[in-house]
Amino acid sequence: MHMETRPRRTGWVEYINKTDYVPRPEEVLFTTAPRDIYVEEGYDGDIPCITDDGRLDWFAHHPLAYPEEYQPSVKSRSYDIAFLELNVPGPTYLELPLQAEIIAALESGQYKVLAITAYTWMIPWALKLAERARRDYGIREVWLGGYGIMTPEPKIRQLFDRLFWGYAESTMREALGLSPMKPSQIEHPMLINESTYLAHKIKIGHLFWERGCTQRCTFCADPVFQPGGEGTFSVENVRRTLERYKEEGVVTVHLVNQDVRPFKDVGRQIIELLYEYGLPFTMMTSFLALTAKGHDGMKWLADKGLTMAQLGVESLDDTNLSKSLKTTNYDHISKTVRQMDDLRIRMSATYIVCFEDDTPESIHRSKRLLGDLGPIYTYFSILQPMPSTPQYYDMHKRGLINDWDFRKWTGGYLVWDHPTIKPDEAREIVRDMDLAINTPQYNQRLKREWQRISRMRERMHERGRAGYILDMRARARVYYHPQSDAQLPAAEFSARSGIQTATTRTPTTA
C-alpha cells in the first residue's frame, strides 16, 4: 500500500484473506506477548523486560553501574491494549499474560478469532502461536497488529488473515461489526505508571494528544507504521484525563506523542491545562520542535512546568545526523542543552551506536561529548534496520543484513555487516556507554543532579515536619513521593563491588 493512500489519523487494514467474516466481539481473544516469552526455548537474549507483575519496564535490562536500589524504572501498561480495551468493548484482552493463560483461553473453545499485537522481536513467538491456534484450537481467523506486521517474514502472510496498520480503535470496531470512531471520539485510558529515579518513587500519568510522527528519520519505524501531523484527542477528552490523574495522586505528566510539538495551537492548550491543574510535565520531543520558538519559547515551557525533555539525540556526529535526516546537528544540540540547563529543564536522551560511518574511535570521542552534555539518563541501542524503513531497504539492497533471527532485532544486537565493528564488539560498546554516561563518576551533571535532589529532599522533609503543605510542582522537581524513605548514596556515589554488568537477563526478571 502506498504511503499517500494510507489514512493519516486512523489505522487501516491489509486483508491477506478477505473473507468478510465478522465475529461477535465476545468471540475475539486479543493478546500481547507473554511475560515468559521464549523461556521454553532457553533463549536468554537481550530483550526488553516484562516484569513479574505484568508491566513493561524498558530500563530493567540495561547494565547500569548503580546499586540495585537506585536503578531507574518505569513500570508501564501496554499502550495499545489500554486504548483498545477502553474503546473496543467485548473481546477478551490478555495484557502481558503467562503463556499458560493464553493456552487456557484457547482451550476454552469460546473464541473464533485470535488477535495478536507484536514487535519484530516477538514475531517468531507470534507465528508459532498463530499456527497452533488454527491447528489445535479451531480458531477461524488470526489477526496481527503492532510494528511486527512490517517484519520481512513470509510466514506472516501465510498464517495471518488480516494485518492492522497504525492505531486500531476504529478499524477493530468495524471488524467486529461496531460503529467506527472519529479520532476525537477516542477515549484516553488511565496510563498511570510507577516511576523510580534515584530511589524516589512517584506516580506519572502518561498522556497523548496526538499519535503518529511527522519526522522522517531514515532509521525509525514510526512514520511508516502511522504517519502523523494531525491532532487525535479532543481537548475536553484530555481535560477529563487530567482530572482523573489529579484524583489518583499523579505528581507529574509525561507527554508521549511520538513527537510532541508544544507550540502548535493544541499543544499550547494542553500545556495551559497542565498548568491550570498544577501538574508539571515532561515530554518526548525533537530538538526542532523544542526550539521552534527560540529561547523565549523554551522559557515559556519552563514557566508552565516543563521539568525534563526526552530527546532523540541518536548521534553527535553531523555525518550520521545528516544521512539519517535528523533535523539537528551537534552545534544545535549543544546550544539547546545549555539553554535547557539555564532554565532548569533536565534532559534524558536516546542514543544509537554503530551507524555505518561510526568507528570504535569515533564512538569513544562522542562518548566524551555526550558526557559533557550530561543527560540525566540515556537509553542506548545498536543501530537496527527497522523493517519497512528507508534504512532497512537500503541495507537489504546492499546485502548488509546478515542475522535473520528476529528475536535479536531488539536494538541490543548488531544484525548487519558493519564495515569496522563486529557484533560482540558492538555489545561491548553499548555496555561501555551505559556504564559511563549513566553513572555520576563520569557524568558530572548527573552527579550534580543527585546532589541537588539530596539537598532539596531534605529541605522538603523539614518543611513537611514543620507542617507546610508540599506543592506538587516542587515534589516533581525532586522526583519525590512521601512513601519513599530511601536515602541517597554517599558523596562518592560509588557502585557496590561485584555489581552485575552483564547485558543479558531473562525476560521475566523485574
Side-chain angles (χ1 to χ4, degrees), residues 109-121:
Q110 70 183 84
Y111 302 107
K112 301 299 182 183
V113 171
L114 172 64
I116 300 172
T117 180
Y119 291 100
T120 288
W121 65 269

Side-chain angles (χ1 to χ4, degrees), residues 482-502:
Q483 297 175 354
S484 177
D485 296 318
Q487 297 297 310
L488 287 173
E492 64 274 15
F493 303 109
S494 59
R496 295 182 302 189
S497 61
I499 187 168
Q500 176 59 255
T501 60

Side-chain angles (χ1 to χ4, degrees), residues 16-173:
I16 308 303
N17 298 307
K18 192 168 180 57
T19 62
D20 295 324
Y21 176 56
V22 181
R24 298 194 307 273
E26 62 271 16
E27 293 178 322
V28 176
L29 176 66
F30 187 104
T31 187
T32 66
R35 69 191 79 162
D36 53 349
I37 188 172
Y38 301 137
V39 167
E40 294 177 355
E41 303 171 34
Y43 179 68
D44 62 351
D46 181 17
I47 63 178
C49 191
I50 302 172
T51 66
D52 285 336
D53 56 353
R55 289 292 181 266
L56 295 170
D57 188 348
W58 298 94
F59 293 90
H61 74 303
H62 278 246
L64 306 183
Y66 287 10
E68 184 176 349
E69 59 269 31
Y70 301 108
Q71 292 281 345
S73 167
V74 177
K75 293 183 178 180
S76 66
R77 289 198 65 186
S78 175
Y79 292 153
D80 46 3
I81 207 167
F83 274 96
L84 288 170
E85 195 171 30
L86 182 61
N87 291 281
V88 188
T92 297
Y93 293 94
L94 299 180
E95 182 175 2
L96 302 171
L98 296 170
Q99 296 202 63
E101 295 177 71
I102 300 174
I103 298 305
L106 291 172
E107 287 176 340
S108 70
Q110 70 183 84
Y111 302 107
K112 301 299 182 183
V113 171
L114 172 64
I116 300 172
T117 180
Y119 291 100
T120 288
W121 65 269
M122 302 173 182
I123 286 299
W125 159 80
L127 292 172
K128 287 184 178 181
L129 181 62
E131 190 172 28
R132 186 176 179 183
R134 286 187 188 278
R135 183 189 67 225
D136 298 341
Y137 304 112
I139 291 295
R140 178 169 171 173
E141 289 198 8
V142 188
W143 301 344
L144 180 67
Y147 289 77
I149 62 172
M150 299 186 289
T151 307
E153 167 54 70
K155 286 185 178 180
I156 288 177
R157 284 168 171 77
Q158 297 169 12
L159 292 174
F160 291 95
D161 298 280
R162 307 182 197 184
L163 305 182
F164 287 76
W165 287 74
Y167 298 100
E169 294 85 14
S170 188
T171 51
M172 274 290 290
R173 288 179 62 90

Side-chain angles (χ1 to χ4, degrees), residues 235-408:
V235 173
E236 284 307 308
N237 193 326
V238 172
R239 179 184 289 275
R240 290 194 299 272
T241 303
L242 294 181
E243 287 175 351
R244 297 199 303 270
Y245 282 175
K246 189 87 172 190
E247 291 169 358
E248 292 294 328
V250 163
V251 172
T252 186
V253 172
H254 185 45
L255 306 179
V256 285
N257 306 356
Q258 277 93 336
D259 181 21
V260 171
R261 294 175 293 164
F263 302 113
K264 288 182 62 181
D265 288 344
V266 65
R268 287 181 174 273
Q269 291 180 64
I270 302 303
I271 289 167
E272 290 288 0
L273 273 181
L274 289 164
Y275 187 75
E276 176 186 332
Y277 281 95
L279 287 167
F281 65 99
T282 60
M283 66 183 186
M284 294 175 62
T285 189
S286 64
F287 284 94
L288 180 68
L290 181 63
T291 60
K293 298 297 181 181
H295 184 271
D296 290 345
M298 290 173 61
K299 185 178 185 304
W300 176 78
L301 291 170
D303 291 343
K304 292 299 180 182
L306 177 63
T307 61
M308 186 272 288
Q310 183 179 345
L311 292 156
V313 176
E314 315 310 2
S315 179
L316 295 176
D317 182 289
D318 283 351
T319 298
N320 292 337
L321 295 171
S322 176
K323 284 187 175 181
S324 59
L325 303 186
K326 289 288 292 180
T327 52
T328 188
N329 57 42
Y330 173 70
D331 286 342
H332 182 214
I333 291 170
S334 57
K335 178 183 177 182
T336 302
V337 173
R338 287 195 301 271
Q339 292 177 337
M340 291 170 65
D341 199 32
D342 291 341
L343 294 168
R344 295 181 63 209
I345 302 171
R346 297 170 292 177
M347 177 183 74
S348 70
T350 54
Y351 198 92
I352 298 172
V353 298
C354 301
F355 282 92
E356 193 165 358
D357 289 296
D358 278 341
T359 64
E361 294 74 24
S362 70
I363 295 173
H364 184 74
R365 289 193 297 270
S366 294
K367 182 176 74 173
R368 293 196 298 271
L369 296 175
L370 187 58
D372 290 341
L373 291 178
I376 60 170
Y377 182 80
T378 304
Y379 188 103
F380 291 99
S381 63
I382 297 169
L383 184 69
Q384 176 183 309
M386 299 290 287
S388 292
T389 63
Q391 185 180 75
Y392 167 81
Y393 288 120
D394 174 64
M395 287 188 174
H396 187 268
K397 182 179 180 180
R398 292 189 287 146
L400 294 180
I401 302 171
N402 57 17
D403 191 336
W404 295 96
D405 180 354
F406 292 120
R407 296 176 303 175
K408 293 183 179 179

